[in-house]
Amino acid sequence: MVPEAEFDSYYGRPVIKPPSWQARDIAGYFFLGGLAGAGSVFAACAQYTGRARTETALKVSSLAAVSLSAAALVHDLGRPSRFANMLRVFKPTSPMSMGSWLLSAYGPAAGAAAACAVTGRLPRAGAAATGTAAVLGPVVAAYTAVLAADTAVPAWHGAHRELPYLFTASATAAAAGMALVVAPVHENTPARCAAGLAALADTVAMKAAEHRLGPVAETYRQGRAGRLVRTAQTLTLAGAVGAVALGRSRPAAIASGLALLAGSACTRFGVFDAGVASAEDPRYTVGPQRARLERRRAR
């Protein structure tokens, strides 16, 4: 009897090419896009419920976030013309193509909504822009998860069902945190409730992703990615508890909001680093494939 051979690649080289994206640009792009998209939904709700200061502040923050998000994407691409070239093609099966068109539609809507809110002019156009940004906002918050999961990176592709929920929950936590920071205390009740629900959804989505990933989930628990994910969970839960329990205090609301924002950012950077780590180790590429093959044979 010959013992089963343990897999190893030639010279220990990765089986797939690790992502060439820069963490600062792309993980920041993920975070800022989520903050902008969820913030537009919060802004529309604030406008509908008569929370004027919250509405204006969130519209401005969403415009700033999507602008910085686009700048980070262009910086990673190297030249602005490369982003423009992506608009030459409309390909529904490509998350990158759809994301480019989505940003091109969402950005002007968020800008018009913010401009009308700040100046007080063209209220009907502002309302239409606010509604458009609010409709596109959830897609802006979630599509980056689809973009990552559509790759061959094991830690991303293996969690393709849970990753959009994780990114959406994290974006909601970030937008709730921003609302707690910028909104007066008497207007922050919806943000406090959203913070608690977002923290719960974030925790459940992360645990579900780790359960589905099996051995690949080690990349979310070890190294730099593990530290970032644990920090994200701690900050998100602490921010949510502070928002729910102490949100009527202005200093506590600001501290809780900052914790939620930092937790959301750490989640994006942790997911990014876990993906890179899983692509660099050939065990995480071939191991899950063999496990799926064995399950099919057993059935």
Side-chain angles (χ1 to χ4, degrees):
M1 297 292 292
V2 179
E4 289 191 16
E6 294 185 2
F7 172 79
D8 193 13
S9 62
Y10 288 111
Y11 305 108
R13 301 288 296 174
V15 176
I16 63 174
K17 183 180 179 181
S20 59
W21 300 331
Q22 295 297 318
R24 181 185 61 183
D25 291 335
I26 299 304
Y29 164 63
F30 289 172
F31 164 67
L32 291 167
L35 173 61
S40 290
V41 177
F42 276 62
C45 294
Q47 178 175 328
Y48 181 76
T49 56
R51 292 174 166 84
R53 291 179 61 184
T54 303
E55 168 203 344
T56 302
L58 286 178
K59 287 179 179 179
V60 172
S61 70
S62 291
L63 175 59
V66 75
S67 300
L68 292 172
S69 175
L73 176 60
V74 170
H75 185 267
D76 187 76
L77 291 173
R79 293 197 304 269
S81 60
R82 290 178 176 172
F83 180 83
N85 287 337
M86 290 192 291
L87 300 178
R88 296 170 61 186
V89 177
F90 186 84
K91 189 176 181 181
T93 58
S94 169
M96 180 62 77
S97 175
M98 292 295 96
S100 302
W101 282 99
L102 179 61
L103 284 178
S104 299
Y106 170 79
C116 293
V118 171
T119 61
R121 298 182 178 180
L122 303 175
R124 291 185 179 180
T130 299
T132 301
V135 170
L136 297 177
V139 188
V140 172
Y143 99 89
T144 50
V146 180
L147 176 64
D150 196 47
T151 65
V153 176
W156 298 342
H157 184 73
H160 65 278
R161 294 183 180 178
E162 293 79 14
L163 213 56
Y165 294 102
L166 176 63
F167 274 36
T168 302
S170 180
T172 303
M178 180 61 73
L180 288 168
V181 170
V182 302
V185 172
H186 65 274
E187 292 185 4
N188 72 2
T189 300
R192 293 167 59 203
C193 296
L197 294 174
L200 177 61
D202 182 279
T203 302
V204 171
M206 179 60 77
K207 295 298 181 184
E210 291 180 353
H211 177 74
R212 181 181 297 278
L213 286 169
V216 182
E218 294 175 356
T219 57
Y220 285 89
R221 305 187 188 110
Q222 300 175 353
R224 185 171 183 268
R227 292 191 296 271
L228 284 168
V229 169
R230 289 190 294 272
T231 301
Q233 292 174 340
T234 301
L235 287 171
T236 301
L237 290 174
V241 171
V244 173
L246 306 172
R248 290 296 182 184
S249 166
R250 184 63 182 151
I254 294 175
S256 300
L258 292 175
L260 289 166
L261 285 164
S264 179
C266 288
T267 295
R268 298 306 207 286
F269 279 86
V271 169
F272 184 89
D273 285 354
V276 174
S278 69
E280 290 176 343
D281 193 331
R283 293 178 303 162
Y284 299 129
T285 303
V286 177
Q289 295 176 349
R290 289 188 170 182
R292 289 192 294 268
L293 180 60
E294 291 298 328
R295 286 195 296 267
R296 285 197 293 268
R297 287 175 176 173
R299 286 198 297 267

